[in-house]
Amino acid sequence: SGVALTLIDSLDTLAVIGNASEFARGVRWVSENVDFDIDIDVSVFETTIRLLGGLLSAHMLANGTMVDGASHVRVAGYGGELLVLARDLGERLLGAFDGCEALPRAFVNLRDAKAKQASHQRLEQCSAGVGTLLLEFGVLSRLTGDPSFEHAALCALRLLWSKRSKFDLLGNTLDVRTGHWRNPTATIGAGVDSFYEYSLKAYLVFGKPELYAMWNASASAVEQHLRVRGRYGEIWG
């Protein structure tokens, strides 16, 4: 059993390249066959950007009226099944969150988020894993009318940003139990990179001034402290 990650992640690509028939076939297959009630541990970060994001984008395209210029890929008879799946998945992912005072865990069990004790390694979370959730969770809230998803992701982002250094830079990995940095190395590479991407994208989508403030401060800090002679390096937080 699995979650059809590759198919769901590529549904919007089928629509973008104009393959409407395969897009419709994929939408119908996912609608009829995917079930997230599986006893597996998944990465919250990867599941959010690939599965949740894939379901949401495909839903908006299949609807035919939610995205400008997408009427040609509208799926006849589509009744919002992908949004139902997205909400179910989102509710399962919420099991990784423990309120606004704690960082979300890196992994969650899809069947029961509280069922298994996370291993020592899974108590480590990267900045990207915390700061790259708001776009999908926020869109899910806007489409379902349930604010809990956006609230959880925004709380996590705010908590992460509160842990920045005096230079407005974020380190690489944190301990989700203590909230302390395990690897405070600041970089624009793996472990941090998509924080910068999502803070700006989320601002453009949701228009929250605090998101632009995060992006502006962090991007300025990168230019000031990480860029040396045209190259971007690393510094110890």
mmCIF file of all heavy atoms in Angstrom, residues 75-111:
data_model
loop_
_atom_site.group_PDB
_atom_site.id
_atom_site.type_symbol
_atom_site.label_atom_id
_atom_site.label_comp_id
_atom_site.label_asym_id
_atom_site.label_seq_id
_atom_site.Cartn_x
_atom_site.Cartn_y
_atom_site.Cartn_z
ATOM 1 N N VAL A 75 -12.383 18.911 -15.143
ATOM 2 C CA VAL A 75 -12.714 17.486 -15.199
ATOM 3 C C VAL A 75 -14.231 17.321 -15.076
ATOM 4 O O VAL A 75 -14.821 17.684 -14.042
ATOM 5 C CB VAL A 75 -12.005 16.706 -14.080
ATOM 6 C CG1 VAL A 75 -12.424 15.226 -14.099
ATOM 7 C CG2 VAL A 75 -10.489 16.832 -14.227
ATOM 8 N N ALA A 76 -14.840 16.816 -16.096
ATOM 9 C CA ALA A 76 -16.297 16.638 -16.091
ATOM 10 C C ALA A 76 -16.720 15.715 -14.957
ATOM 11 O O ALA A 76 -16.124 14.660 -14.737
ATOM 12 C CB ALA A 76 -16.751 16.055 -17.431
ATOM 13 N N GLY A 77 -17.736 16.135 -14.224
ATOM 14 C CA GLY A 77 -18.254 15.330 -13.127
ATOM 15 C C GLY A 77 -17.463 15.422 -11.846
ATOM 16 O O GLY A 77 -17.807 14.752 -10.860
ATOM 17 N N TYR A 78 -16.395 16.247 -11.836
ATOM 18 C CA TYR A 78 -15.588 16.378 -10.621
ATOM 19 C C TYR A 78 -16.403 17.072 -9.536
ATOM 20 O O TYR A 78 -16.998 18.123 -9.762
ATOM 21 C CB TYR A 78 -14.316 17.172 -10.907
ATOM 22 C CG TYR A 78 -13.475 17.425 -9.681
ATOM 23 C CD1 TYR A 78 -12.807 16.377 -9.045
ATOM 24 C CD2 TYR A 78 -13.379 18.700 -9.131
ATOM 25 C CE1 TYR A 78 -12.046 16.607 -7.906
ATOM 26 C CE2 TYR A 78 -12.618 18.936 -7.999
ATOM 27 C CZ TYR A 78 -11.952 17.884 -7.390
ATOM 28 O OH TYR A 78 -11.217 18.122 -6.252
ATOM 29 N N GLY A 79 -16.403 16.478 -8.331
ATOM 30 C CA GLY A 79 -17.225 17.006 -7.243
ATOM 31 C C GLY A 79 -16.458 17.384 -5.994
ATOM 32 O O GLY A 79 -17.016 17.350 -4.891
ATOM 33 N N GLY A 80 -15.168 17.732 -6.159
ATOM 34 C CA GLY A 80 -14.391 18.175 -5.003
ATOM 35 C C GLY A 80 -13.765 17.051 -4.193
ATOM 36 O O GLY A 80 -13.359 17.256 -3.043
ATOM 37 N N GLU A 81 -13.651 15.864 -4.784
ATOM 38 C CA GLU A 81 -13.112 14.717 -4.054
ATOM 39 C C GLU A 81 -11.679 14.939 -3.575
ATOM 40 O O GLU A 81 -11.298 14.471 -2.491
ATOM 41 C CB GLU A 81 -13.174 13.461 -4.931
ATOM 42 C CG GLU A 81 -14.580 12.984 -5.250
ATOM 43 C CD GLU A 81 -15.201 13.683 -6.451
ATOM 44 O OE1 GLU A 81 -14.546 14.601 -7.021
ATOM 45 O OE2 GLU A 81 -16.328 13.315 -6.830
ATOM 46 N N LEU A 82 -10.871 15.641 -4.352
ATOM 47 C CA LEU A 82 -9.482 15.870 -3.952
ATOM 48 C C LEU A 82 -9.394 16.798 -2.745
ATOM 49 O O LEU A 82 -8.496 16.662 -1.911
ATOM 50 C CB LEU A 82 -8.678 16.451 -5.118
ATOM 51 C CG LEU A 82 -8.555 15.571 -6.361
ATOM 52 C CD1 LEU A 82 -7.611 16.203 -7.376
ATOM 53 C CD2 LEU A 82 -8.097 14.165 -6.020
ATOM 54 N N LEU A 83 -10.318 17.735 -2.625
ATOM 55 C CA LEU A 83 -10.336 18.611 -1.456
ATOM 56 C C LEU A 83 -10.712 17.820 -0.201
ATOM 57 O O LEU A 83 -10.185 18.072 0.883
ATOM 58 C CB LEU A 83 -11.306 19.769 -1.665
ATOM 59 C CG LEU A 83 -11.363 20.797 -0.519
ATOM 60 C CD1 LEU A 83 -9.997 21.413 -0.272
ATOM 61 C CD2 LEU A 83 -12.396 21.884 -0.839
ATOM 62 N N VAL A 84 -11.606 16.858 -0.356
ATOM 63 C CA VAL A 84 -11.958 15.982 0.769
ATOM 64 C C VAL A 84 -10.724 15.209 1.227
ATOM 65 O O VAL A 84 -10.439 15.106 2.434
ATOM 66 C CB VAL A 84 -13.090 15.011 0.375
ATOM 67 C CG1 VAL A 84 -13.339 14.000 1.492
ATOM 68 C CG2 VAL A 84 -14.368 15.790 0.078
ATOM 69 N N LEU A 85 -9.967 14.676 0.268
ATOM 70 C CA LEU A 85 -8.733 13.969 0.601
ATOM 71 C C LEU A 85 -7.722 14.905 1.249
ATOM 72 O O LEU A 85 -7.030 14.533 2.200
ATOM 73 C CB LEU A 85 -8.127 13.346 -0.657
ATOM 74 C CG LEU A 85 -8.736 12.040 -1.160
ATOM 75 C CD1 LEU A 85 -8.143 11.684 -2.523
ATOM 76 C CD2 LEU A 85 -8.496 10.917 -0.165
ATOM 77 N N ALA A 86 -7.622 16.129 0.716
ATOM 78 C CA ALA A 86 -6.672 17.096 1.259
ATOM 79 C C ALA A 86 -7.008 17.445 2.709
ATOM 80 O O ALA A 86 -6.112 17.537 3.557
ATOM 81 C CB ALA A 86 -6.663 18.364 0.405
ATOM 82 N N ARG A 87 -8.279 17.619 3.001
ATOM 83 C CA ARG A 87 -8.666 17.928 4.375
ATOM 84 C C ARG A 87 -8.354 16.754 5.304
ATOM 85 O O ARG A 87 -7.862 16.956 6.423
ATOM 86 C CB ARG A 87 -10.145 18.279 4.444
ATOM 87 C CG ARG A 87 -10.575 18.665 5.858
ATOM 88 C CD ARG A 87 -11.927 19.316 5.893
ATOM 89 N NE ARG A 87 -12.182 19.900 7.210
ATOM 90 C CZ ARG A 87 -13.120 20.783 7.467
ATOM 91 N NH1 ARG A 87 -13.913 21.203 6.493
ATOM 92 N NH2 ARG A 87 -13.292 21.272 8.670
ATOM 93 N N ASP A 88 -8.640 15.547 4.852
ATOM 94 C CA ASP A 88 -8.339 14.362 5.652
ATOM 95 C C ASP A 88 -6.842 14.286 5.938
ATOM 96 O O ASP A 88 -6.419 14.030 7.071
ATOM 97 C CB ASP A 88 -8.810 13.111 4.922
ATOM 98 C CG ASP A 88 -8.410 11.831 5.637
ATOM 99 O OD1 ASP A 88 -8.875 11.624 6.776
ATOM 100 O OD2 ASP A 88 -7.623 11.055 5.078
ATOM 101 N N LEU A 89 -6.028 14.517 4.912
ATOM 102 C CA LEU A 89 -4.579 14.488 5.086
ATOM 103 C C LEU A 89 -4.126 15.603 6.022
ATOM 104 O O LEU A 89 -3.280 15.395 6.897
ATOM 105 C CB LEU A 89 -3.892 14.616 3.733
ATOM 106 C CG LEU A 89 -2.363 14.621 3.749
ATOM 107 C CD1 LEU A 89 -1.821 13.342 4.358
ATOM 108 C CD2 LEU A 89 -1.819 14.820 2.335
ATOM 109 N N GLY A 90 -4.677 16.802 5.834
ATOM 110 C CA GLY A 90 -4.316 17.923 6.690
ATOM 111 C C GLY A 90 -4.611 17.645 8.152
ATOM 112 O O GLY A 90 -3.813 17.986 9.043
ATOM 113 N N GLU A 91 -5.743 17.031 8.430
ATOM 114 C CA GLU A 91 -6.090 16.702 9.803
ATOM 115 C C GLU A 91 -5.121 15.690 10.398
ATOM 116 O O GLU A 91 -4.787 15.757 11.585
ATOM 117 C CB GLU A 91 -7.521 16.185 9.858
ATOM 118 C CG GLU A 91 -8.556 17.278 9.602
ATOM 119 C CD GLU A 91 -9.968 16.750 9.452
ATOM 120 O OE1 GLU A 91 -10.127 15.507 9.320
ATOM 121 O OE2 GLU A 91 -10.908 17.566 9.454
ATOM 122 N N ARG A 92 -4.643 14.772 9.581
ATOM 123 C CA ARG A 92 -3.658 13.799 10.054
ATOM 124 C C ARG A 92 -2.317 14.487 10.324
ATOM 125 O O ARG A 92 -1.636 14.177 11.307
ATOM 126 C CB ARG A 92 -3.499 12.672 9.038
ATOM 127 C CG ARG A 92 -4.778 11.839 8.860
ATOM 128 C CD ARG A 92 -4.640 10.803 7.742
ATOM 129 N NE ARG A 92 -5.927 10.186 7.435
ATOM 130 C CZ ARG A 92 -6.460 9.157 8.106
ATOM 131 N NH1 ARG A 92 -5.789 8.609 9.103
ATOM 132 N NH2 ARG A 92 -7.643 8.672 7.761
ATOM 133 N N LEU A 93 -1.937 15.417 9.476
ATOM 134 C CA LEU A 93 -0.679 16.138 9.670
ATOM 135 C C LEU A 93 -0.723 17.035 10.897
ATOM 136 O O LEU A 93 0.321 17.300 11.511
ATOM 137 C CB LEU A 93 -0.358 16.970 8.427
ATOM 138 C CG LEU A 93 -0.022 16.180 7.157
ATOM 139 C CD1 LEU A 93 0.145 17.130 5.970
ATOM 140 C CD2 LEU A 93 1.244 15.350 7.351
ATOM 141 N N LEU A 94 -1.897 17.514 11.258
ATOM 142 C CA LEU A 94 -2.013 18.349 12.462
ATOM 143 C C LEU A 94 -1.560 17.610 13.715
ATOM 144 O O LEU A 94 -1.252 18.236 14.731
ATOM 145 C CB LEU A 94 -3.457 18.836 12.644
ATOM 146 C CG LEU A 94 -3.917 19.981 11.745
ATOM 147 C CD1 LEU A 94 -5.379 20.339 12.052
ATOM 148 C CD2 LEU A 94 -3.034 21.216 11.926
ATOM 149 N N GLY A 95 -1.515 16.281 13.647
ATOM 150 C CA GLY A 95 -1.035 15.506 14.788
ATOM 151 C C GLY A 95 0.414 15.770 15.132
ATOM 152 O O GLY A 95 0.877 15.424 16.233
ATOM 153 N N ALA A 96 1.163 16.402 14.223
ATOM 154 C CA ALA A 96 2.565 16.731 14.483
ATOM 155 C C ALA A 96 2.710 18.016 15.288
ATOM 156 O O ALA A 96 3.821 18.338 15.741
ATOM 157 C CB ALA A 96 3.322 16.870 13.168
ATOM 158 N N PHE A 97 1.628 18.744 15.467
ATOM 159 C CA PHE A 97 1.668 20.041 16.153
ATOM 160 C C PHE A 97 1.162 19.910 17.590
ATOM 161 O O PHE A 97 0.209 19.180 17.854
ATOM 162 C CB PHE A 97 0.800 21.060 15.411
ATOM 163 C CG PHE A 97 1.278 21.383 14.020
ATOM 164 C CD1 PHE A 97 1.011 20.528 12.954
ATOM 165 C CD2 PHE A 97 1.990 22.538 13.769
ATOM 166 C CE1 PHE A 97 1.445 20.818 11.675
ATOM 167 C CE2 PHE A 97 2.428 22.839 12.484
ATOM 168 C CZ PHE A 97 2.154 21.977 11.438
ATOM 169 N N ASP A 98 1.806 20.643 18.480
ATOM 170 C CA ASP A 98 1.401 20.638 19.895
ATOM 171 C C ASP A 98 1.221 22.060 20.413
ATOM 172 O O ASP A 98 1.713 22.423 21.473
ATOM 173 C CB ASP A 98 2.446 19.899 20.745
ATOM 174 C CG ASP A 98 2.488 18.418 20.431
ATOM 175 O OD1 ASP A 98 1.418 17.784 20.443
ATOM 176 O OD2 ASP A 98 3.588 17.895 20.179
ATOM 177 N N GLY A 99 0.518 22.874 19.658
ATOM 178 C CA GLY A 99 0.246 24.243 20.095
ATOM 179 C C GLY A 99 1.311 25.225 19.649
ATOM 180 O O GLY A 99 2.319 24.863 19.032
ATOM 181 N N CYS A 100 1.099 26.474 19.995
ATOM 182 C CA CYS A 100 1.967 27.553 19.507
ATOM 183 C C CYS A 100 3.286 27.678 20.263
ATOM 184 O O CYS A 100 4.153 28.455 19.858
ATOM 185 C CB CYS A 100 1.211 28.878 19.588
ATOM 186 S SG CYS A 100 -0.147 29.028 18.383
ATOM 187 N N GLU A 101 3.442 26.936 21.344
ATOM 188 C CA GLU A 101 4.667 27.046 22.136
ATOM 189 C C GLU A 101 5.652 25.932 21.826
ATOM 190 O O GLU A 101 6.705 25.844 22.467
ATOM 191 C CB GLU A 101 4.324 27.039 23.631
ATOM 192 C CG GLU A 101 3.378 28.148 24.058
ATOM 193 C CD GLU A 101 3.896 29.534 23.705
ATOM 194 O OE1 GLU A 101 5.109 29.776 23.903
ATOM 195 O OE2 GLU A 101 3.099 30.365 23.225
ATOM 196 N N ALA A 102 5.325 25.037 20.891
ATOM 197 C CA ALA A 102 6.204 23.925 20.565
ATOM 198 C C ALA A 102 6.380 23.812 19.058
ATOM 199 O O ALA A 102 5.463 24.107 18.293
ATOM 200 C CB ALA A 102 5.627 22.612 21.113
ATOM 201 N N LEU A 103 7.555 23.387 18.644
ATOM 202 C CA LEU A 103 7.816 23.175 17.229
ATOM 203 C C LEU A 103 7.130 21.895 16.750
ATOM 204 O O LEU A 103 7.057 20.919 17.499
ATOM 205 C CB LEU A 103 9.326 23.054 16.997
ATOM 206 C CG LEU A 103 10.152 24.307 17.283
ATOM 207 C CD1 LEU A 103 11.633 23.944 17.373
ATOM 208 C CD2 LEU A 103 9.919 25.356 16.204
ATOM 209 N N PRO A 104 6.632 21.869 15.539
ATOM 210 C CA PRO A 104 6.025 20.635 15.019
ATOM 211 C C PRO A 104 7.083 19.563 14.813
ATOM 212 O O PRO A 104 8.232 19.855 14.480
ATOM 213 C CB PRO A 104 5.408 21.078 13.688
ATOM 214 C CG PRO A 104 6.216 22.267 13.276
ATOM 215 C CD PRO A 104 6.584 22.969 14.546
ATOM 216 N N ARG A 105 6.702 18.314 15.035
ATOM 217 C CA ARG A 105 7.625 17.208 14.834
ATOM 218 C C ARG A 105 7.874 16.983 13.345
ATOM 219 O O ARG A 105 7.029 17.302 12.516
ATOM 220 C CB ARG A 105 7.081 15.945 15.490
ATOM 221 C CG ARG A 105 6.978 16.058 17.003
ATOM 222 C CD ARG A 105 6.501 14.762 17.631
ATOM 223 N NE ARG A 105 5.152 14.398 17.210
ATOM 224 C CZ ARG A 105 4.041 14.956 17.682
ATOM 225 N NH1 ARG A 105 4.126 15.923 18.583
ATOM 226 N NH2 ARG A 105 2.860 14.553 17.262
ATOM 227 N N ALA A 106 9.019 16.394 13.037
ATOM 228 C CA ALA A 106 9.402 16.201 11.642
ATOM 229 C C ALA A 106 8.637 15.065 10.986
ATOM 230 O O ALA A 106 8.428 15.069 9.776
ATOM 231 C CB ALA A 106 10.905 15.938 11.545
ATOM 232 N N PHE A 107 8.221 14.071 11.784
ATOM 233 C CA PHE A 107 7.504 12.912 11.251
ATOM 234 C C PHE A 107 6.195 12.711 12.008
ATOM 235 O O PHE A 107 6.073 13.093 13.174
ATOM 236 C CB PHE A 107 8.362 11.643 11.373
ATOM 237 C CG PHE A 107 9.462 11.552 10.361
ATOM 238 C CD1 PHE A 107 10.629 12.275 10.522
ATOM 239 C CD2 PHE A 107 9.331 10.751 9.239
ATOM 240 C CE1 PHE A 107 11.653 12.205 9.594
ATOM 241 C CE2 PHE A 107 10.349 10.666 8.304
ATOM 242 C CZ PHE A 107 11.517 11.397 8.475
ATOM 243 N N VAL A 108 5.227 12.121 11.319
ATOM 244 C CA VAL A 108 3.941 11.831 11.947
ATOM 245 C C VAL A 108 3.426 10.513 11.384
ATOM 246 O O VAL A 108 3.698 10.167 10.227
ATOM 247 C CB VAL A 108 2.936 12.978 11.677
ATOM 248 C CG1 VAL A 108 2.519 13.014 10.217
ATOM 249 C CG2 VAL A 108 1.732 12.880 12.582
ATOM 250 N N ASN A 109 2.727 9.762 12.223
ATOM 251 C CA ASN A 109 2.099 8.529 11.764
ATOM 252 C C ASN A 109 0.732 8.880 11.191
ATOM 253 O O ASN A 109 -0.082 9.519 11.857
ATOM 254 C CB ASN A 109 1.955 7.535 12.923
ATOM 255 C CG ASN A 109 1.397 6.201 12.484
ATOM 256 O OD1 ASN A 109 0.176 6.023 12.398
ATOM 257 N ND2 ASN A 109 2.274 5.262 12.191
ATOM 258 N N LEU A 110 0.473 8.486 9.953
ATOM 259 C CA LEU A 110 -0.772 8.880 9.301
ATOM 260 C C LEU A 110 -2.007 8.294 9.993
ATOM 261 O O LEU A 110 -3.066 8.925 10.005
ATOM 262 C CB LEU A 110 -0.759 8.464 7.831
ATOM 263 C CG LEU A 110 0.088 9.317 6.886
ATOM 264 C CD1 LEU A 110 -0.049 8.818 5.458
ATOM 265 C CD2 LEU A 110 -0.286 10.791 6.970
ATOM 266 N N ARG A 111 -1.883 7.109 10.543
ATOM 267 C CA ARG A 111 -3.042 6.500 11.184
ATOM 268 C C ARG A 111 -3.274 7.063 12.579
ATOM 269 O O ARG A 111 -4.407 7.317 12.981
ATOM 270 C CB ARG A 111 -2.890 4.981 11.253
ATOM 271 C CG ARG A 111 -4.028 4.282 12.003
ATOM 272 C CD ARG A 111 -4.083 2.819 11.668
ATOM 273 N NE ARG A 111 -4.524 2.613 10.276
ATOM 274 C CZ ARG A 111 -4.451 1.448 9.650
ATOM 275 N NH1 ARG A 111 -3.937 0.395 10.252
ATOM 276 N NH2 ARG A 111 -4.880 1.348 8.401
#
